[in-house]
Every structure is written in C-alpha cells, then in structure tokens.
Amino acid sequence: MRDLLSVDRVANQIRLRRSTYSETFVLVEGGSDKTFYERFVDKLVCELVSVSGKPSSKLRVIAVLEILEKSSFQGILAIVDADFERLETLLYSSPNLLRTDTHDLETMLIKSPALNKVVAELGSEEKIAQFNRDVRLALLETGISVGYLLWISQCDGLNLTFEGITFSKFINEQTIQIDEIKLIRELKNKSQAFSLKDEDLQQRLMAEKSKSHDPWQVCCGHHLVEILSLSLRKAIGSNKAADVEPNSLERNLRLAYEEVFFRDTKLYLDIRIWESNNQPFKVLRNDI
C-alpha cells in the first residue's frame, strides 16, 4: 500500500510542477540512470525525474506513467531498462515508454566503445595479447549463463538470489571461463534453495541456451561488470580488487561513454521520433 501511495505522490508532484513548468518530464529508474541521461537532455526544456524504490524501480516508473497518461497529461516520457522484455511479452506498451537497446543501461555502455577505453586504461597490453580473445565477446559468453539463470528463476518462480553472489567461485580468473555447476551451487547456497537439483537447473539452462537468443538481451549489465572486474585483476590486467570494484567500473564506463556513442543507438532515434510526435515538447539538446 505504501508503494502505491508513493507512486501516486510522484505523479501528483509532477502534476503540481506542471503549474509552473510547461516543458518535458522524463521518468527514469534511479539515480545512476538520471546521472547518465542528464548529459544528453536539454535541461532548459526537460526535467528528469528519478523513480527509484522497492520492489522494482521499473514497475514504479511504469505505474507513474500510467497514472499520468490516464489523466491525459502531456509532455511525459519514460525510459526504462528492457530487461528480458524483448524475449517475452512486454510489461506495458505505450508510445511514451522507451526501452534501452540492450538488456539495460550497463550493457549499452559495454556494447559501446566506452568498454575499449576502460580496458585500454585499466588493462595490460601484454595480458590482453596473451588472452587472445575479444574481451567484449568473452564477457558475453561467460555472462550469458548467469543471465539465462536469472530469466529462468523469474519465469519459473524459483526466487533465486543473485545479489551478492561471489563470481570468483564459479569463474576462472585466468581464463574467464565459467563453471555452470559451480554457478548453480553458489546460487542455491545464496538462496538457501537446497531442494532444487543441480541436474534439473543445468538441463533447463542448456534448453534455453540452445534457443540462441540475442546475448545482449539476455546478459545483465551488472553481471558483465562483475566479470570485467575479475578479468582486470588477472586475465587482462594486474589490478587490485579495490581498484576495479564493480561500482567504480560502472562509473568509469559512464564517464568513457561519449555523446557520439549515444547518437548511434536506437534509443536516441526513438527519443527523436517521440519529440517529432509530441511537439513542442523537447528532450535532447540540439547539438547531439
């Protein structure tokens, strides 16, 4: 009930703000998303509103959008992570709701040349040469197993806990190869889900992997950053764990992400289309 009240409160705050502000409101999922999009929006004609909280920031963003749309509120746009929605039924469809190109904002950063810049800065040329694999591809190939198990957990109602799992327990730090049984056991231990059978989960995982979904829609950005953190310690770098911890890496990726990279995304195009369909409301700066 408290969540519903807080969603109504956000919607009412935006309605109240409209009395003195005639420009665009853009709803985003949280503080880091707001920090990212602030670099591209025209702050003179667009205001970003962070709608974070439990149980899901994304669901709260959509709930606020629905409330405002039902009252025919003009100049409202929401941008959320796609998550697994391109692999299943969309949660909510609206011309005022846009999604990231890939699974989430972090995978958009990793797919872009921002990753190359961070690896060049924090990696070792010699180790990268010895690694002899494309770093981005290696992250995807390893992270997809974790992504699929997260999707399986959601689809099958397994309620597995992914937050706080120790990636070094199931990923080889030298090769970045994943041991799926060790991953399954780490998830079971973290979730206290000992009734689940290793073999059943592994077979379910193999069945999903055989469908060859787009890895950029399956892999979760936070997982890929965890794997990148591991790789920069031994496989492609010699950093101390504290120097390449995941939150710091995500910040580095955001800083390395240039405006020209954003202009190459479908999300950028979708925002421009929204602007043309909702004149005179604007979102992005003209010089982007």
Side-chain angles (χ1 to χ4, degrees), residues 138-154:
L139 294 177
L140 282 177
E141 288 174 347
T142 300
I144 199 164
S145 297
V146 193
Y148 267 125
L149 280 170
L150 175 58
W151 191 28
I152 289 164
S153 175
Q154 291 179 5

Side-chain angles (χ1 to χ4, degrees), residues 11-48:
N12 286 333
Q13 285 171 348
I14 292 172
R15 286 194 190 103
L16 190 62
R17 184 88 173 87
R18 174 59 89 216
S19 63
T20 57
Y21 185 80
S22 60
E23 312 302 349
T24 312
F25 291 98
V26 177
L27 308 171
V28 295
E29 288 188 51
S32 60
D33 288 33
K34 186 179 178 184
T35 301
F36 175 80
Y37 291 116
E38 267 177 349
R39 294 168 54 196
F40 311 112
V41 304
D42 185 340
K43 294 177 186 176
L44 294 174
V45 295
C46 177
E47 185 173 311
L48 288 161

Side-chain angles (χ1 to χ4, degrees), residues 26-30 33 37 48-49 51 56-65 77-86 90-94 96-108 217 267 270-271:
V26 177
L27 308 171
V28 295
E29 288 188 51
D33 288 33
Y37 291 116
L48 288 161
V49 181
V51 192
S56 162
S57 297
K58 179 176 179 174
L59 292 177
R60 288 163 60 80
V61 167
I62 292 172
V64 173
L65 178 65
L77 176 66
I79 303 174
V80 296
D81 288 341
D83 296 323
F84 296 107
E85 287 193 71
R86 291 199 176 92
L90 294 178
L91 272 175
Y92 181 68
S93 182
S94 162
N96 299 314
L97 178 64
L98 304 182
R99 293 169 174 82
T100 50
D101 289 25
T102 54
H103 185 98
D104 49 33
L105 185 54
E106 289 73 27
T107 44
M108 272 181 66
Q217 303 300 332
L267 178 58
D270 288 343
I271 295 172

Side-chain angles (χ1 to χ4, degrees), residues 20-214:
T20 57
Y21 185 80
S22 60
E23 312 302 349
T24 312
F25 291 98
V26 177
L27 308 171
V28 295
E29 288 188 51
S32 60
D33 288 33
K34 186 179 178 184
T35 301
F36 175 80
Y37 291 116
E38 267 177 349
R39 294 168 54 196
F40 311 112
V41 304
D42 185 340
K43 294 177 186 176
L44 294 174
V45 295
C46 177
E47 185 173 311
L48 288 161
V49 181
S50 170
V51 192
S52 56
K54 302 291 183 182
S56 162
S57 297
K58 179 176 179 174
L59 292 177
R60 288 163 60 80
V61 167
I62 292 172
V64 173
L65 178 65
E66 278 192 278
I67 291 167
L68 292 171
E69 285 184 328
K70 282 175 183 172
S71 61
S72 301
F73 190 93
Q74 299 297 303
I76 185 77
L77 176 66
I79 303 174
V80 296
D81 288 341
D83 296 323
F84 296 107
E85 287 193 71
R86 291 199 176 92
L87 309 179
E88 53 196 18
T89 307
L90 294 178
L91 272 175
Y92 181 68
S93 182
S94 162
N96 299 314
L97 178 64
L98 304 182
R99 293 169 174 82
T100 50
D101 289 25
T102 54
H103 185 98
D104 49 33
L105 185 54
E106 289 73 27
T107 44
M108 272 181 66
L109 297 175
I110 289 169
K111 190 177 184 182
S112 80
L115 175 69
N116 307 57
K117 293 171 70 176
V118 170
V119 168
E121 182 70 28
L122 297 172
S124 152
E125 278 188 40
E126 184 182 350
K127 288 199 168 192
I128 291 168
Q130 289 171 349
F131 188 61
N132 201 30
R133 293 171 68 199
D134 179 82
V135 174
R136 188 177 283 102
L137 191 58
L139 294 177
L140 282 177
E141 288 174 347
T142 300
I144 199 164
S145 297
V146 193
Y148 267 125
L149 280 170
L150 175 58
W151 191 28
I152 289 164
S153 175
Q154 291 179 5
C155 291
D156 296 1
L158 301 181
N159 296 315
L160 293 173
T161 300
F162 285 76
E163 197 169 333
I165 59 174
T166 305
F167 280 69
S168 58
K169 288 185 177 179
F170 51 85
I171 292 174
N172 184 304
E173 291 187 5
Q174 297 284 0
T175 64
I176 311 301
Q177 300 284 351
I178 192 166
D179 185 321
E180 290 178 349
I181 286 294
K182 286 182 179 176
L183 163 62
I184 287 167
R185 287 174 183 164
E186 168 69 358
L187 285 170
K188 283 171 58 179
N189 287 334
K190 197 74 182 173
S191 315
Q192 300 288 294
F194 303 114
S195 61
L196 296 174
K197 292 183 179 176
D198 295 357
E199 299 77 17
D200 291 347
L201 276 175
Q202 192 176 32
Q203 283 181 2
R204 184 84 170 80
L205 175 57
M206 287 172 62
E208 289 304 329
K209 285 176 78 173
S210 70
K211 295 175 184 175
S212 302
H213 293 110
D214 178 359

